[in-house]
PDB file of all heavy atoms in Angstrom:
ATOM      1  N   ARG B 896     -35.289  -6.799  -6.819  1.00  0.00           N
ATOM      2  CA  ARG B 896     -35.726  -5.953  -5.700  1.00  0.00           C
ATOM      3  C   ARG B 896     -35.771  -6.690  -4.333  1.00  0.00           C
ATOM      4  O   ARG B 896     -35.250  -6.282  -3.291  1.00  0.00           O
ATOM      5  CB  ARG B 896     -37.044  -5.279  -5.917  1.00  0.00           C
ATOM      6  CG  ARG B 896     -37.006  -4.010  -6.629  1.00  0.00           C
ATOM      7  CD  ARG B 896     -38.248  -3.187  -6.372  1.00  0.00           C
ATOM      8  NE  ARG B 896     -38.357  -2.592  -5.084  1.00  0.00           N
ATOM      9  CZ  ARG B 896     -37.512  -1.645  -4.672  1.00  0.00           C
ATOM     10  NH1 ARG B 896     -36.626  -1.112  -5.461  1.00  0.00           N
ATOM     11  NH2 ARG B 896     -37.646  -1.039  -3.392  1.00  0.00           N
ATOM     12  N   ARG B 897     -36.443  -7.828  -4.309  1.00  0.00           N
ATOM     13  CA  ARG B 897     -36.611  -8.579  -3.112  1.00  0.00           C
ATOM     14  C   ARG B 897     -35.247  -9.182  -2.521  1.00  0.00           C
ATOM     15  O   ARG B 897     -34.927  -8.931  -1.345  1.00  0.00           O
ATOM     16  CB  ARG B 897     -37.528  -9.751  -3.319  1.00  0.00           C
ATOM     17  CG  ARG B 897     -37.863 -10.482  -1.962  1.00  0.00           C
ATOM     18  CD  ARG B 897     -39.002 -11.320  -2.163  1.00  0.00           C
ATOM     19  NE  ARG B 897     -40.160 -10.651  -2.695  1.00  0.00           N
ATOM     20  CZ  ARG B 897     -41.417 -11.076  -2.663  1.00  0.00           C
ATOM     21  NH1 ARG B 897     -41.700 -12.209  -2.135  1.00  0.00           N
ATOM     22  NH2 ARG B 897     -42.407 -10.437  -3.221  1.00  0.00           N
ATOM     23  N   GLU B 898     -34.445  -9.741  -3.405  1.00  0.00           N
ATOM     24  CA  GLU B 898     -33.206 -10.265  -2.954  1.00  0.00           C
ATOM     25  C   GLU B 898     -32.287  -9.125  -2.488  1.00  0.00           C
ATOM     26  O   GLU B 898     -31.509  -9.315  -1.543  1.00  0.00           O
ATOM     27  CB  GLU B 898     -32.501 -11.110  -4.053  1.00  0.00           C
ATOM     28  CG  GLU B 898     -33.219 -12.244  -4.606  1.00  0.00           C
ATOM     29  CD  GLU B 898     -33.732 -11.841  -6.015  1.00  0.00           C
ATOM     30  OE1 GLU B 898     -32.850 -11.840  -7.028  1.00  0.00           O
ATOM     31  OE2 GLU B 898     -34.864 -11.571  -6.184  1.00  0.00           O
ATOM     32  N   ALA B 899     -32.415  -7.983  -3.178  1.00  0.00           N
ATOM     33  CA  ALA B 899     -31.544  -6.835  -2.783  1.00  0.00           C
ATOM     34  C   ALA B 899     -31.808  -6.479  -1.408  1.00  0.00           C
ATOM     35  O   ALA B 899     -30.887  -6.210  -0.622  1.00  0.00           O
ATOM     36  CB  ALA B 899     -31.790  -5.683  -3.737  1.00  0.00           C
ATOM     37  N   LYS B 900     -33.081  -6.402  -1.003  1.00  0.00           N
ATOM     38  CA  LYS B 900     -33.468  -6.105   0.315  1.00  0.00           C
ATOM     39  C   LYS B 900     -32.939  -7.140   1.383  1.00  0.00           C
ATOM     40  O   LYS B 900     -32.427  -6.706   2.403  1.00  0.00           O
ATOM     41  CB  LYS B 900     -34.944  -5.863   0.441  1.00  0.00           C
ATOM     42  CG  LYS B 900     -35.371  -4.964   1.529  1.00  0.00           C
ATOM     43  CD  LYS B 900     -36.732  -4.373   1.259  1.00  0.00           C
ATOM     44  CE  LYS B 900     -36.984  -3.263   2.330  1.00  0.00           C
ATOM     45  NZ  LYS B 900     -38.293  -2.687   2.162  1.00  0.00           N
ATOM     46  N   THR B 901     -33.123  -8.370   1.036  1.00  0.00           N
ATOM     47  CA  THR B 901     -32.731  -9.498   1.877  1.00  0.00           C
ATOM     48  C   THR B 901     -31.152  -9.341   2.157  1.00  0.00           C
ATOM     49  O   THR B 901     -30.738  -9.426   3.312  1.00  0.00           O
ATOM     50  CB  THR B 901     -32.976 -10.886   1.374  1.00  0.00           C
ATOM     51  OG1 THR B 901     -34.305 -10.761   0.821  1.00  0.00           O
ATOM     52  CG2 THR B 901     -32.810 -11.913   2.285  1.00  0.00           C
ATOM     53  N   ARG B 902     -30.478  -9.146   1.082  1.00  0.00           N
ATOM     54  CA  ARG B 902     -28.970  -9.073   1.091  1.00  0.00           C
ATOM     55  C   ARG B 902     -28.561  -7.855   1.942  1.00  0.00           C
ATOM     56  O   ARG B 902     -27.663  -7.958   2.784  1.00  0.00           O
ATOM     57  CB  ARG B 902     -28.438  -9.000  -0.294  1.00  0.00           C
ATOM     58  CG  ARG B 902     -26.939  -8.917  -0.419  1.00  0.00           C
ATOM     59  CD  ARG B 902     -26.264 -10.229  -0.016  1.00  0.00           C
ATOM     60  NE  ARG B 902     -24.864 -10.055  -0.076  1.00  0.00           N
ATOM     61  CZ  ARG B 902     -24.040 -10.605   0.944  1.00  0.00           C
ATOM     62  NH1 ARG B 902     -24.540 -11.438   1.793  1.00  0.00           N
ATOM     63  NH2 ARG B 902     -22.694 -10.495   0.789  1.00  0.00           N
ATOM     64  N   ALA B 903     -29.202  -6.725   1.714  1.00  0.00           N
ATOM     65  CA  ALA B 903     -28.834  -5.505   2.396  1.00  0.00           C
ATOM     66  C   ALA B 903     -29.108  -5.705   3.897  1.00  0.00           C
ATOM     67  O   ALA B 903     -28.206  -5.293   4.772  1.00  0.00           O
ATOM     68  CB  ALA B 903     -29.716  -4.337   1.909  1.00  0.00           C
ATOM     69  N   LYS B 904     -30.197  -6.336   4.327  1.00  0.00           N
ATOM     70  CA  LYS B 904     -30.478  -6.484   5.687  1.00  0.00           C
ATOM     71  C   LYS B 904     -29.519  -7.492   6.375  1.00  0.00           C
ATOM     72  O   LYS B 904     -29.107  -7.233   7.462  1.00  0.00           O
ATOM     73  CB  LYS B 904     -31.871  -7.025   5.822  1.00  0.00           C
ATOM     74  CG  LYS B 904     -32.925  -5.889   5.731  1.00  0.00           C
ATOM     75  CD  LYS B 904     -34.300  -6.446   6.054  1.00  0.00           C
ATOM     76  CE  LYS B 904     -35.308  -5.257   6.069  1.00  0.00           C
ATOM     77  NZ  LYS B 904     -36.736  -5.751   5.958  1.00  0.00           N
ATOM     78  N   LYS B 905     -29.132  -8.424   5.620  1.00  0.00           N
ATOM     79  CA  LYS B 905     -28.156  -9.419   6.131  1.00  0.00           C
ATOM     80  C   LYS B 905     -26.821  -8.726   6.396  1.00  0.00           C
ATOM     81  O   LYS B 905     -26.185  -8.924   7.473  1.00  0.00           O
ATOM     82  CB  LYS B 905     -27.935 -10.573   5.163  1.00  0.00           C
ATOM     83  CG  LYS B 905     -27.188 -11.712   5.658  1.00  0.00           C
ATOM     84  CD  LYS B 905     -27.273 -12.843   4.676  1.00  0.00           C
ATOM     85  CE  LYS B 905     -26.546 -14.114   5.263  1.00  0.00           C
ATOM     86  NZ  LYS B 905     -26.600 -15.267   4.419  1.00  0.00           N
ATOM     87  N   LEU B 906     -26.375  -7.874   5.474  1.00  0.00           N
ATOM     88  CA  LEU B 906     -25.110  -7.192   5.654  1.00  0.00           C
ATOM     89  C   LEU B 906     -25.195  -6.178   6.796  1.00  0.00           C
ATOM     90  O   LEU B 906     -24.292  -6.080   7.639  1.00  0.00           O
ATOM     91  CB  LEU B 906     -24.730  -6.428   4.413  1.00  0.00           C
ATOM     92  CG  LEU B 906     -24.062  -7.256   3.273  1.00  0.00           C
ATOM     93  CD1 LEU B 906     -24.025  -6.502   2.025  1.00  0.00           C
ATOM     94  CD2 LEU B 906     -22.625  -7.722   3.731  1.00  0.00           C
ATOM     95  N   LEU B 907     -26.317  -5.436   6.883  1.00  0.00           N
ATOM     96  CA  LEU B 907     -26.412  -4.561   8.017  1.00  0.00           C
ATOM     97  C   LEU B 907     -26.265  -5.263   9.361  1.00  0.00           C
ATOM     98  O   LEU B 907     -25.687  -4.789  10.339  1.00  0.00           O
ATOM     99  CB  LEU B 907     -27.782  -3.832   7.997  1.00  0.00           C
ATOM    100  CG  LEU B 907     -27.855  -2.733   6.875  1.00  0.00           C
ATOM    101  CD1 LEU B 907     -29.298  -2.255   6.657  1.00  0.00           C
ATOM    102  CD2 LEU B 907     -27.019  -1.481   7.265  1.00  0.00           C
ATOM    103  N   ALA B 908     -26.934  -6.443   9.496  1.00  0.00           N
ATOM    104  CA  ALA B 908     -26.899  -7.229  10.720  1.00  0.00           C
ATOM    105  C   ALA B 908     -25.465  -7.688  10.957  1.00  0.00           C
ATOM    106  O   ALA B 908     -24.910  -7.558  12.069  1.00  0.00           O
ATOM    107  CB  ALA B 908     -27.807  -8.413  10.624  1.00  0.00           C
ATOM    108  N   ALA B 909     -24.756  -8.133   9.891  1.00  0.00           N
ATOM    109  CA  ALA B 909     -23.392  -8.627  10.004  1.00  0.00           C
ATOM    110  C   ALA B 909     -22.461  -7.533  10.467  1.00  0.00           C
ATOM    111  O   ALA B 909     -21.400  -7.778  11.129  1.00  0.00           O
ATOM    112  CB  ALA B 909     -22.944  -9.229   8.699  1.00  0.00           C
ATOM    113  N   PHE B 910     -22.717  -6.252  10.035  1.00  0.00           N
ATOM    114  CA  PHE B 910     -21.848  -5.234  10.396  1.00  0.00           C
ATOM    115  C   PHE B 910     -22.344  -4.433  11.635  1.00  0.00           C
ATOM    116  O   PHE B 910     -21.751  -3.334  11.940  1.00  0.00           O
ATOM    117  CB  PHE B 910     -21.683  -4.251   9.155  1.00  0.00           C
ATOM    118  CG  PHE B 910     -20.718  -4.799   8.155  1.00  0.00           C
ATOM    119  CD1 PHE B 910     -21.128  -5.752   7.282  1.00  0.00           C
ATOM    120  CD2 PHE B 910     -19.376  -4.252   8.099  1.00  0.00           C
ATOM    121  CE1 PHE B 910     -20.219  -6.253   6.333  1.00  0.00           C
ATOM    122  CE2 PHE B 910     -18.552  -4.745   7.133  1.00  0.00           C
ATOM    123  CZ  PHE B 910     -18.922  -5.746   6.257  1.00  0.00           C
TER     124      PHE B 910
END
Side-chain angles (χ1 to χ4, degrees):
Chain B
R896 269 203 76 71
R897 184 167 309 195
E898 303 107 74
K900 205 156 187 182
T901 314
R902 180 71 186 141
K904 282 188 170 156
K905 190 170 185 180
L906 276 170
L907 284 168
F910 281 77

